[in-house]
Short mmCIF file of all heavy atoms in Angstrom, two decimals:
data_model
loop_
_atom_site.label_atom_id
_atom_site.label_comp_id
_atom_site.label_asym_id
_atom_site.label_seq_id
_atom_site.Cartn_x
_atom_site.Cartn_y
_atom_site.Cartn_z
N ASP A 303 55.27 -4.44 16.15
CA ASP A 303 54.31 -5.47 16.55
C ASP A 303 54.12 -5.55 18.07
O ASP A 303 53.36 -6.37 18.55
CB ASP A 303 54.78 -6.84 16.05
CG ASP A 303 54.83 -6.90 14.53
OD1 ASP A 303 54.03 -6.19 13.89
OD2 ASP A 303 55.67 -7.65 13.99
N ALA A 304 54.85 -4.72 18.81
CA ALA A 304 54.78 -4.79 20.27
C ALA A 304 53.37 -4.50 20.76
O ALA A 304 52.81 -3.44 20.44
CB ALA A 304 55.77 -3.81 20.90
N PRO A 305 52.76 -5.41 21.50
CA PRO A 305 51.43 -5.15 22.03
C PRO A 305 51.46 -4.06 23.09
O PRO A 305 52.38 -4.01 23.90
CB PRO A 305 51.01 -6.49 22.64
CG PRO A 305 52.29 -7.18 22.96
CD PRO A 305 53.28 -6.73 21.93
N ARG A 306 50.51 -3.18 23.05
CA ARG A 306 50.36 -2.15 24.09
C ARG A 306 48.99 -2.34 24.70
O ARG A 306 47.99 -1.83 24.21
CB ARG A 306 50.53 -0.76 23.48
CG ARG A 306 51.95 -0.43 23.05
CD ARG A 306 52.89 -0.35 24.27
NE ARG A 306 54.27 -0.02 23.88
CZ ARG A 306 55.21 -0.91 23.65
NH1 ARG A 306 54.92 -2.21 23.76
NH2 ARG A 306 56.42 -0.55 23.31
N LEU A 307 48.98 -3.10 25.76
CA LEU A 307 47.72 -3.45 26.40
C LEU A 307 47.37 -2.43 27.47
O LEU A 307 48.23 -1.78 28.06
CB LEU A 307 47.82 -4.83 27.04
CG LEU A 307 48.20 -6.01 26.14
CD1 LEU A 307 48.40 -7.26 26.97
CD2 LEU A 307 47.14 -6.24 25.07
N ARG A 308 46.12 -2.32 27.73
CA ARG A 308 45.63 -1.55 28.88
C ARG A 308 44.51 -2.35 29.53
O ARG A 308 43.82 -3.13 28.88
CB ARG A 308 45.14 -0.16 28.45
CG ARG A 308 44.16 -0.13 27.32
CD ARG A 308 43.89 1.30 26.86
NE ARG A 308 42.97 1.32 25.72
CZ ARG A 308 43.36 1.22 24.46
NH1 ARG A 308 44.64 1.12 24.15
NH2 ARG A 308 42.45 1.24 23.47
N THR A 309 44.37 -2.15 30.82
CA THR A 309 43.40 -2.95 31.54
C THR A 309 42.70 -2.12 32.61
O THR A 309 43.25 -1.12 33.10
CB THR A 309 44.08 -4.18 32.20
OG1 THR A 309 43.08 -5.01 32.79
CG2 THR A 309 45.05 -3.76 33.28
N ARG A 310 41.53 -2.54 32.93
CA ARG A 310 40.78 -2.00 34.06
C ARG A 310 40.41 -3.16 34.96
O ARG A 310 39.65 -4.04 34.57
CB ARG A 310 39.53 -1.26 33.61
CG ARG A 310 38.67 -0.77 34.78
CD ARG A 310 37.47 0.04 34.32
NE ARG A 310 36.64 -0.69 33.37
CZ ARG A 310 35.74 -1.61 33.72
NH1 ARG A 310 35.58 -1.94 35.00
NH2 ARG A 310 35.01 -2.20 32.80
N ALA A 311 40.99 -3.17 36.16
CA ALA A 311 40.69 -4.20 37.14
C ALA A 311 39.82 -3.56 38.22
O ALA A 311 40.33 -2.82 39.06
CB ALA A 311 41.98 -4.76 37.74
N ASP A 312 38.51 -3.83 38.16
CA ASP A 312 37.54 -3.08 38.96
C ASP A 312 37.73 -1.58 38.69
O ASP A 312 37.54 -1.15 37.57
CB ASP A 312 37.67 -3.43 40.45
CG ASP A 312 37.15 -4.85 40.73
OD1 ASP A 312 36.42 -5.40 39.88
OD2 ASP A 312 37.46 -5.39 41.80
N ARG A 313 38.20 -0.80 39.67
CA ARG A 313 38.34 0.64 39.45
C ARG A 313 39.78 1.08 39.17
O ARG A 313 40.05 2.27 39.06
CB ARG A 313 37.81 1.40 40.67
CG ARG A 313 36.32 1.18 40.92
CD ARG A 313 35.85 2.00 42.11
NE ARG A 313 34.43 1.82 42.36
CZ ARG A 313 33.75 2.43 43.33
NH1 ARG A 313 34.40 3.27 44.15
NH2 ARG A 313 32.46 2.21 43.50
N THR A 314 40.69 0.12 39.06
CA THR A 314 42.09 0.45 38.82
C THR A 314 42.42 0.35 37.34
O THR A 314 42.15 -0.67 36.70
CB THR A 314 43.01 -0.51 39.60
OG1 THR A 314 42.71 -0.42 41.00
CG2 THR A 314 44.46 -0.15 39.38
N HIS A 315 43.01 1.42 36.78
CA HIS A 315 43.38 1.46 35.36
C HIS A 315 44.89 1.38 35.23
O HIS A 315 45.62 2.10 35.92
CB HIS A 315 42.86 2.74 34.71
CG HIS A 315 41.37 2.85 34.67
ND1 HIS A 315 40.62 2.58 33.54
CD2 HIS A 315 40.48 3.19 35.64
CE1 HIS A 315 39.34 2.75 33.81
NE2 HIS A 315 39.23 3.13 35.08
N VAL A 316 45.37 0.51 34.34
CA VAL A 316 46.81 0.38 34.06
C VAL A 316 46.98 0.30 32.55
O VAL A 316 46.25 -0.43 31.88
CB VAL A 316 47.41 -0.89 34.71
CG1 VAL A 316 48.92 -0.90 34.54
CG2 VAL A 316 47.04 -0.98 36.18
N ASP A 317 47.96 1.05 32.00
CA ASP A 317 48.19 1.00 30.56
C ASP A 317 49.67 0.82 30.26
O ASP A 317 50.50 0.72 31.16
CB ASP A 317 47.65 2.26 29.88
CG ASP A 317 48.29 3.54 30.43
OD1 ASP A 317 49.30 3.45 31.14
OD2 ASP A 317 47.75 4.63 30.16
N GLY A 318 50.00 0.74 28.97
CA GLY A 318 51.38 0.56 28.55
C GLY A 318 51.95 -0.80 28.88
O GLY A 318 53.16 -0.94 29.12
N LEU A 319 51.13 -1.86 28.88
CA LEU A 319 51.57 -3.19 29.29
C LEU A 319 52.03 -4.02 28.10
O LEU A 319 51.45 -3.96 27.02
CB LEU A 319 50.43 -3.92 30.01
CG LEU A 319 49.84 -3.22 31.24
CD1 LEU A 319 48.63 -3.99 31.74
CD2 LEU A 319 50.88 -3.07 32.33
N GLN A 320 53.08 -4.83 28.33
CA GLN A 320 53.51 -5.80 27.32
C GLN A 320 52.87 -7.17 27.54
O GLN A 320 52.70 -7.93 26.59
CB GLN A 320 55.04 -5.96 27.35
CG GLN A 320 55.81 -4.90 26.61
CD GLN A 320 55.76 -3.58 27.33
OE1 GLN A 320 55.92 -3.52 28.55
NE2 GLN A 320 55.52 -2.50 26.60
N ALA A 321 52.57 -7.49 28.77
CA ALA A 321 52.01 -8.81 29.08
C ALA A 321 51.06 -8.68 30.26
O ALA A 321 51.23 -7.81 31.12
CB ALA A 321 53.11 -9.82 29.38
N LEU A 322 50.09 -9.58 30.30
CA LEU A 322 49.06 -9.54 31.34
C LEU A 322 48.59 -10.96 31.58
O LEU A 322 48.32 -11.71 30.63
CB LEU A 322 47.90 -8.66 30.89
CG LEU A 322 46.70 -8.52 31.83
CD1 LEU A 322 47.08 -7.66 33.02
CD2 LEU A 322 45.53 -7.89 31.09
N LEU A 323 48.49 -11.34 32.84
CA LEU A 323 47.98 -12.65 33.22
C LEU A 323 46.79 -12.47 34.13
O LEU A 323 46.89 -11.80 35.16
CB LEU A 323 49.07 -13.46 33.93
CG LEU A 323 48.70 -14.90 34.28
CD1 LEU A 323 48.86 -15.80 33.06
CD2 LEU A 323 49.58 -15.43 35.42
N VAL A 324 45.67 -13.05 33.76
CA VAL A 324 44.46 -13.02 34.58
C VAL A 324 44.20 -14.44 35.06
O VAL A 324 44.06 -15.36 34.25
CB VAL A 324 43.25 -12.49 33.79
CG1 VAL A 324 42.00 -12.48 34.67
CG2 VAL A 324 43.53 -11.10 33.24
N SER A 325 44.16 -14.64 36.37
CA SER A 325 44.04 -15.99 36.91
C SER A 325 42.73 -16.18 37.67
O SER A 325 42.18 -15.25 38.26
CB SER A 325 45.22 -16.30 37.85
OG SER A 325 45.27 -15.38 38.93
N ASN A 326 42.25 -17.40 37.64
CA ASN A 326 41.08 -17.81 38.40
C ASN A 326 41.50 -17.96 39.85
O ASN A 326 41.98 -19.01 40.26
CB ASN A 326 40.55 -19.13 37.83
CG ASN A 326 39.40 -19.70 38.64
OD1 ASN A 326 38.63 -18.96 39.26
ND2 ASN A 326 39.27 -21.02 38.63
N ASN A 327 41.36 -16.89 40.64
CA ASN A 327 41.84 -16.72 42.01
C ASN A 327 43.31 -16.31 41.98
O ASN A 327 44.07 -16.72 41.10
CB ASN A 327 41.66 -18.00 42.85
CG ASN A 327 40.21 -18.20 43.25
OD1 ASN A 327 39.77 -17.74 44.30
ND2 ASN A 327 39.45 -18.89 42.38
N PRO A 328 43.72 -15.46 42.92
CA PRO A 328 45.09 -14.93 42.92
C PRO A 328 46.13 -16.00 43.21
O PRO A 328 45.91 -16.91 44.02
CB PRO A 328 45.06 -13.89 44.06
CG PRO A 328 43.61 -13.56 44.24
CD PRO A 328 42.86 -14.81 43.94
N TYR A 329 47.26 -15.87 42.54
CA TYR A 329 48.42 -16.72 42.82
C TYR A 329 49.18 -16.16 44.01
O TYR A 329 49.00 -15.01 44.41
CB TYR A 329 49.36 -16.77 41.61
CG TYR A 329 48.86 -17.64 40.48
CD1 TYR A 329 48.28 -17.08 39.35
CD2 TYR A 329 49.00 -19.02 40.53
CE1 TYR A 329 47.83 -17.88 38.30
CE2 TYR A 329 48.55 -19.82 39.50
CZ TYR A 329 47.98 -19.25 38.38
OH TYR A 329 47.53 -20.04 37.36
#
Side-chain angles (χ1 to χ4, degrees):
D303 297 330
R306 289 294 181 266
L307 303 173
R308 51 188 178 272
T309 186
R310 176 176 56 80
D312 289 343
R313 297 182 179 181
T314 302
H315 295 259
V316 186
D317 58 14
L319 303 174
Q320 279 71 44
L322 178 73
L323 185 80
V324 179
S325 60
N326 175 29
N327 285 269
Y329 284 102

